[in-house]
């Protein structure tokens, strides 16, 4: 497969009477967007606001972050199986609106939703503070069930992102990057002397409000499978979960998966990037065993020499992580795992809920229990009504002077386990 990503850099976002992109500025008609949002019958009201880097703005509770895109050539469309009809993506041409995102927020769905600060200490911990954020604030109808509300907000955000992406269809990209994913046979023939490397991506799928979607299918219903890496880059995987905001993979992170991008940077030079394997994270032991067995088998079938494994979430998924690691290592395949840590506020607790001597090469995204004081900011997009209930907060989080005492858990993307963050350790 060959995928061309055309990058269109957005320099500003402004509300206007006509939605268009002109000279790097995104103009959006707020009323048009609200109509798109309210097509979701479980939502009773919606509004939009704009947050720019450096502004004294706090966005919370954040549900998802999405990069607007449009498919201009090739099979499939944006968010296949969800917004566009089901078809295989990962080839052709896709235009991406860079340096901006659609951020969904509003009254809380579950306690695991987070904060994006556009300035101050909090902004240093989230990659999304560097973006121009078009924020969708919406509210569910009275009595709506949390999972119905989550679905409605998710679909509204994806539809808005697709609508905005469509504005770029006839533009000329500022930059184009080409990614090629050869077949297994082509890879063997083209790079015979290079180590064969794969990427195992663990997808959060541990029950209601812990969902990730692959071509529209809830990942808890899949067996581990092989994708072309370009499929993830082209919108095949989207977020639908409410795990802790610090290590949740927002849809934006899937679209810009840094593990895949870094492996491609070395593909054909120091490694042969063979395949992207996706697997789920499970609740019950038998399901964990089944998925980890299949994942290790796929790695062996592909003749891999080395594997990078990324986790999503913490605690219970640590068992899936270690099972994947130990079983792949047992096949004679070297592994590196990417995770974050929950080592307690003092950093002295056991970092992971499971461990094994085979997991001897690890990249950490930081300690999610680290405590920080976030300054009072001038403006809130969304609401602070739930800030004491977010995972990583407590009843004393919102202090009398307006500052927030929180763990990094509350900051969106702070300890992301694909490395889509600003933290690590040596």
């Amino acid at each position: 497969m060959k995928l061309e990503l055309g990058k269109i850099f957005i320099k500003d976002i402004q509300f206007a009477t006509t939605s268009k992109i002109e000279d790097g500025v995104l103009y959006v008609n707020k009323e048009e967007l609200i109509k798109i949002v309210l097509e979701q019958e479980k939502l009773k009201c919606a509004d939009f606001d704009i947050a720019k880097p450096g502004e004294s703005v706090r966005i919370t509770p954040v549900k998802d972050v999405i990069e607007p895109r449009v498919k201009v050539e090739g099979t499939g469309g944006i968010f296949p199986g969800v917004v566009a009809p089901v078809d295989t993506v990962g080839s052709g041409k896709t235009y991406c609106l860079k340096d901006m995102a659609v951020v969904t927020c509003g009254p809380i769905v579950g306690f695991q939703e987070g904060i994006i600060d556009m300035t101050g200490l909090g902004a240093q911990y989230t990659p999304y503070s560097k973006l121009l954020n078009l924020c969708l604030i919406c509210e569910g109808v009275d009595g709506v069930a949390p999972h119905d509300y989550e679905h409605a907000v998710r679909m509204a955000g994806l539809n808005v992102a697709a609508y905005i992406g469509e504005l770029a269809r006839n533009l000329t990209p500022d930059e184009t990057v080409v990614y090629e994913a050869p077949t297994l046979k082509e890879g063997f023939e083209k790079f015979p002397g290079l180590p064969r490397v794969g990427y195992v991506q663990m997808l959060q799928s541990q029950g209601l409000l812990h969902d990730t979607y692959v071509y529209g299918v809830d990942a808890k219903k899949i067996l581990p499978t092989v994708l072309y890496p370009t499929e993830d880059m082209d919108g095949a995987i989207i977020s639908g979960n409410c795990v802790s905001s610090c290590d949740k993979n927002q849809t934006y992170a899937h679209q810009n998966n840094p593990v895949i991008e870094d492996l491609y940077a070395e593909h054909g030079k120091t490694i042969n990037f063979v395949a992207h394997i996706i697997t789920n994270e499970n609740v019950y032991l038998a399901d964990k065993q089944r998925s980890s067995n299949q994942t290790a088998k796929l790695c062996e079938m592909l003749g891999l020499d080395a594997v990078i494994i990324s986790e999503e979430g913490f605690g219970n998924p640590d068992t899936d992580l270690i099972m994947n690691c130990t079983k792949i290592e047992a096949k004679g395949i070297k592994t590196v795992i990417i995770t974050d840590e929950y080592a307690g506020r003092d950093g002295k607790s056991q970092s992971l809920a499971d461990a094994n001597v085979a997991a001897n090469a690890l990249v950490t995204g930081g300690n999610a229990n680290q405590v920080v004081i976030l300054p009072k900011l001038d403006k809130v997009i969304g609401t602070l009504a739930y800030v004491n209930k977010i995972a990583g907060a407590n009843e004393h989080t919102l202090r009398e002077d307006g500052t927030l005492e929180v763990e990094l858990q509350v900051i969106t993307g702070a300890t992301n386990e694909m490395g889509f963050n600003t933290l690590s350790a040596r």
Side-chain angles (χ1 to χ4, degrees):
M1 278 196 177
K2 179 180 178 181
L3 176 65
E4 296 184 26
L5 290 182
K7 300 181 179 182
I8 297 166
F9 296 100
I10 301 300
K11 297 179 288 189
D12 195 15
I13 303 176
Q14 299 178 19
F15 291 122
T17 55
T18 302
S19 295
K20 62 181 179 179
I21 300 170
E22 192 172 87
D23 297 327
V25 178
L26 170 63
Y27 299 94
V28 290
N29 182 310
K30 183 188 291 190
E31 286 69 31
E32 286 179 1
L33 297 184
I34 290 174
K35 286 180 182 179
I36 293 171
V37 172
L38 295 183
E39 290 174 1
Q40 303 300 316
E41 62 180 19
K42 298 295 184 181
L43 300 178
K44 70 176 182 182
C45 61
D47 198 4
F48 284 86
D49 207 337
I50 299 167
K52 302 179 182 182
E55 290 184 335
S56 184
V57 173
R58 173 166 291 140
I59 312 168
T60 187
V62 173
K63 304 176 191 331
D64 200 9
V65 184
I66 310 159
E67 183 174 84
R69 295 184 171 192
V70 60
K71 192 80 181 169
V72 295
E73 286 184 18
T75 60
I78 297 305
F79 312 123
V82 181
V83 174
V86 178
D87 207 341
T88 303
V89 294
S91 62
K93 291 183 181 180
T94 298
Y95 291 170
C96 320
L97 300 191
K98 307 306 291 186
D99 297 334
M100 72 148 295
V102 173
V103 177
T104 53
C105 58
I108 204 161
V109 175
F111 63 89
Q112 294 169 309
E113 298 176 47
I115 293 173
I116 296 173
D117 280 358
M118 300 303 292
T119 192
L121 180 62
Q124 297 177 31
Y125 286 101
T126 174
Y128 303 115
S129 64
K130 286 76 175 174
L131 303 178
L132 294 159
N133 291 314
L134 179 64
C135 303
L136 162 59
I137 312 103
C138 49
E139 186 174 344
V141 298
D142 295 341
V144 65
H147 63 283
D148 288 332
Y149 176 40
E150 186 281 326
H151 172 79
V153 176
R154 171 164 34 96
M155 291 304 302
L158 295 171
N159 285 328
V160 167
Y163 175 85
I164 292 171
E166 188 67 32
L167 301 175
R169 178 175 292 277
N170 297 316
L171 299 182
T172 300
D174 299 304
E175 177 185 314
T176 298
V177 183
V178 179
Y179 300 91
E180 292 197 53
T183 65
L184 294 178
K185 181 181 178 182
E186 290 169 343
F188 269 118
E189 294 173 348
K190 193 171 182 180
F191 309 113
L194 295 178
R196 296 172 58 78
V197 177
Y199 170 38
V200 172
Q201 183 178 6
M202 296 169 53
L203 306 176
Q204 179 56 243
S205 56
Q206 293 186 295
L208 198 62
L209 297 179
H210 287 67
D211 308 319
T212 305
Y213 296 90
V214 183
Y215 285 103
V217 176
D218 190 336
K220 66 174 60 65
K221 299 178 181 179
I222 70 169
L223 278 176
T225 190
V226 179
L227 299 179
Y228 283 105
T230 53
E231 291 178 76
D232 190 13
M233 305 175 91
D234 208 15
I237 303 175
I238 63 169
S239 175
N241 67 65
C242 297
V243 300
S244 288
S245 191
C246 64
D247 52 19
K248 169 182 174 175
N249 292 332
Q250 287 75 27
T251 297
Y252 191 103
H254 286 295
Q255 295 170 298
N256 296 277
N257 188 316
V259 178
I260 291 177
E261 290 192 356
D262 286 354
L263 287 171
Y264 261 121
E266 293 301 316
H267 179 57
K269 301 173 184 176
T270 61
I271 64 169
N272 178 4
F273 183 19
V274 175
H276 178 201
I277 299 169
I278 56 171
T279 184
N280 46 21
E281 298 173 351
N282 299 283
V283 176
Y284 299 109
L285 180 59
D287 296 324
K288 294 176 183 291
Q289 291 172 328
R290 180 185 301 110
S291 289
S292 56
N293 287 343
Q294 292 294 318
T295 299
K297 181 188 74 176
L298 287 174
C299 291
E300 183 179 41
M301 289 175 65
L302 293 169
L304 300 181
D305 298 304
V307 166
I308 295 174
I309 309 171
S310 68
E311 185 181 12
E312 183 174 12
F314 72 100
N316 190 292
D318 293 347
T319 302
D320 302 78
L321 175 68
I322 297 302
M323 280 187 171
N324 286 323
C325 174
T326 55
K327 292 178 182 180
I328 294 170
E329 283 272 350
K331 300 289 188 182
I333 303 167
K334 297 297 183 182
T335 64
V336 175
I337 63 176
I338 311 175
T339 181
D340 61 355
E341 304 174 59
Y342 285 76
R345 292 188 166 201
D346 59 2
K348 296 180 180 179
S349 299
Q350 180 174 316
S351 294
L352 301 178
D354 199 0
N356 189 283
V357 294
N360 59 4
L362 178 149
V363 176
T364 175
N367 178 18
N369 295 134
Q370 179 182 333
V371 176
V372 293
I373 306 298
L374 302 183
K376 180 181 179 181
L377 299 183
D378 295 336
K379 179 180 177 180
V380 173
I381 296 178
T383 176
L384 284 176
Y386 308 96
V387 74
N388 288 355
K389 299 179 180 179
I390 298 173
N394 57 58
E395 65 271 24
H396 305 297
T397 282
L398 181 56
R399 308 199 301 190
E400 289 186 5
D401 62 359
T403 60
L404 303 179
E405 181 179 339
V406 297
E407 295 181 0
L408 292 185
Q409 260 190 98
V410 310
I411 300 177
T412 303
T415 63
N416 180 272
E417 294 160 293
M418 294 194 302
F420 197 75
N421 59 3
T422 58
L423 276 178
S424 190
R426 297 180 182 178

